[in-house]
Amino acid sequence: MPDPITSFGYRVVPESEKQSLVRDVFSSVASRYDLMNDLMSGGVHRLWKDALVEWLNPRPGWRVLDVAGGTGDIAFRIAGAVRRRGGAADIAVCDVNPDMLREGMRRAHLKGEGGMNWLCADAETLPVAAASIDAYTIAFGIRNVTHTERALAEARRVLKPGGRFLCLEFSRVEAAGLDVLYDRFSFSVLPRLGDAVTGDADAYQYLIESIRRFPAQAAFTKMVEKAGLSRVKVRNMMGGIAAMHSAWRL
Ligand SMILES: C[S@@+](CC[C@H](N)C(=O)[O-])C[C@H]1O[C@@H](n2cnc3c(N)ncnc32)[C@H](O)[C@@H]1O
């Protein structure tokens, strides 16, 4: 039987190849990933991540799974938020790329965040027990997985009844005029910046193309609902450049 096809940015590739292509992208940029996020967004990604954790409102004692957690940005923020409430949470960062996780563990060491678990696994097949997690987060990760619907089904499976799903992802610009400016900036500036900082323009070309291919807010809402998650709410960030989808396992 022929291998089904999927998108890798604007390219069409066999499904069986996508994950290794995505892995190459993030391995190539891992050591410069955090610097590039700051340069590309002028630091705005920090505000979006803060907004995700504020909306999550994590509590001491929770078990939290940050999927596609990369270098730990979301997990560190959750740990900080829970500490400010006078407690601790059981936080695991899961990512398919060992280079991104290695960078995250290095940062955790520098920050004195010793208590986290770092899991190398695919969002589509999480090595996590069913109904065991209070909060599942995924930031700028879901557009990279090969089968979005399988990752969403896994999110539902691992969440406890009453558990929370929160996804932050680039989305569709809904503010008139901003879309044209944003497109120009993305396609002309970002690959060059990526080349200058990481030596890999193609990685950033992929990242932009994958953003454009990802479903818009309403379509992604339907996918989340189809996975069996409920009470989906969406918050746009900067006119829809990014959006957060919140949902619950009832
Ligand atoms: C853009 S980074 C986001 C990292 C981090 N969440 C952040 O916001 O800074 C995307 C991450 O998704 C990871 N990833 C891609 N496909 C994945 C998959 N199928 N399962 C788990 N992680 C995946 C990549 O390795 C990469 O670390």
Side-chain angles (χ1 to χ4, degrees):
M1 211 165 79
D3 198 352
I5 53 167
T6 189
S7 64
F8 173 72
Y10 289 168
R11 276 169 61 194
V12 172
V13 298
E15 271 188 8
S16 56
E17 284 178 22
K18 175 159 174 169
Q19 198 179 93
S20 71
L21 291 167
V22 170
R23 193 175 299 144
D24 290 348
V25 164
F26 288 102
S27 288
S28 155
V29 303
S31 63
R32 294 277 167 124
Y33 173 77
D34 296 299
L35 172 65
M36 263 306 281
N37 275 350
D38 278 335
L39 293 175
M40 283 190 308
S41 71
V44 168
H45 76 105
R46 293 170 182 255
L47 304 179
W48 292 343
K49 289 168 179 171
D50 288 346
L52 178 138
V53 174
E54 198 185 316
W55 201 10
L56 182 65
N57 194 14
R59 306 297 169 95
W62 274 13
R63 284 195 74 196
V64 180
L65 182 65
D66 182 44
V67 176
T71 60
D73 261 7
I74 297 295
F76 298 142
R77 282 172 169 75
I78 292 173
V82 175
R83 229 177 354 256
R84 286 192 289 282
R85 302 185 84 122
D90 177 354
I91 302 171
V93 180
C94 168
D95 199 286
V96 80
N97 188 311
D99 297 315
M100 292 291 279
L101 288 174
R102 206 169 296 120
E103 188 60 22
M105 287 186 270
R106 188 186 68 79
R107 294 176 78 206
H109 181 69
L110 292 176
K111 287 172 183 285
E113 289 284 6
M116 289 172 187
N117 294 311
W118 299 83
L119 301 174
C120 193
D122 190 331
E124 296 185 23
T125 48
L126 296 171
V128 175
S132 63
I133 297 294
D134 296 285
Y136 172 110
T137 53
I138 183 163
F140 305 117
I142 198 143
R143 74 175 190 281
N144 297 296
V145 309
T146 306
H147 305 96
T148 311
E149 65 289 352
R150 289 189 200 161
L152 291 172
E154 274 296 84
R156 185 190 180 277
R157 182 186 69 80
V158 300
L159 280 170
K160 295 177 183 173
R164 178 88 179 274
F165 167 89
L166 253 182
C167 174
L168 169 62
E169 189 50 89
F170 289 105
S171 199
R172 206 55 45 88
V173 176
E174 292 178 338
L178 181 61
D179 50 348
V180 180
L181 282 177
Y182 176 54
D183 244 42
R184 271 195 209 141
F185 170 74
S186 305
F187 283 100
S188 60
V189 178
L190 297 186
R192 281 190 222 155
L193 192 61
D195 190 26
V197 177
T198 67
D200 191 345
D202 290 348
Y204 284 88
Q205 185 70 27
Y206 158 71
L207 290 176
I208 298 154
E209 291 176 2
S210 65
I211 289 166
R212 294 302 184 277
R213 288 200 63 98
F214 191 70
Q217 291 83 336
F220 187 58
T221 295
K222 288 212 177 84
M223 294 177 83
V224 174
E225 285 169 345
K226 203 165 167 207
L229 293 161
S230 304
R231 289 166 49 201
V232 184
K233 290 206 172 76
V234 186
R235 284 188 187 171
N236 273 347
M237 327 288 290
M238 285 183 71
I241 291 180
M244 293 191 286
H245 283 73
S246 160
W248 300 82
R249 177 175 176 180
L250 298 184

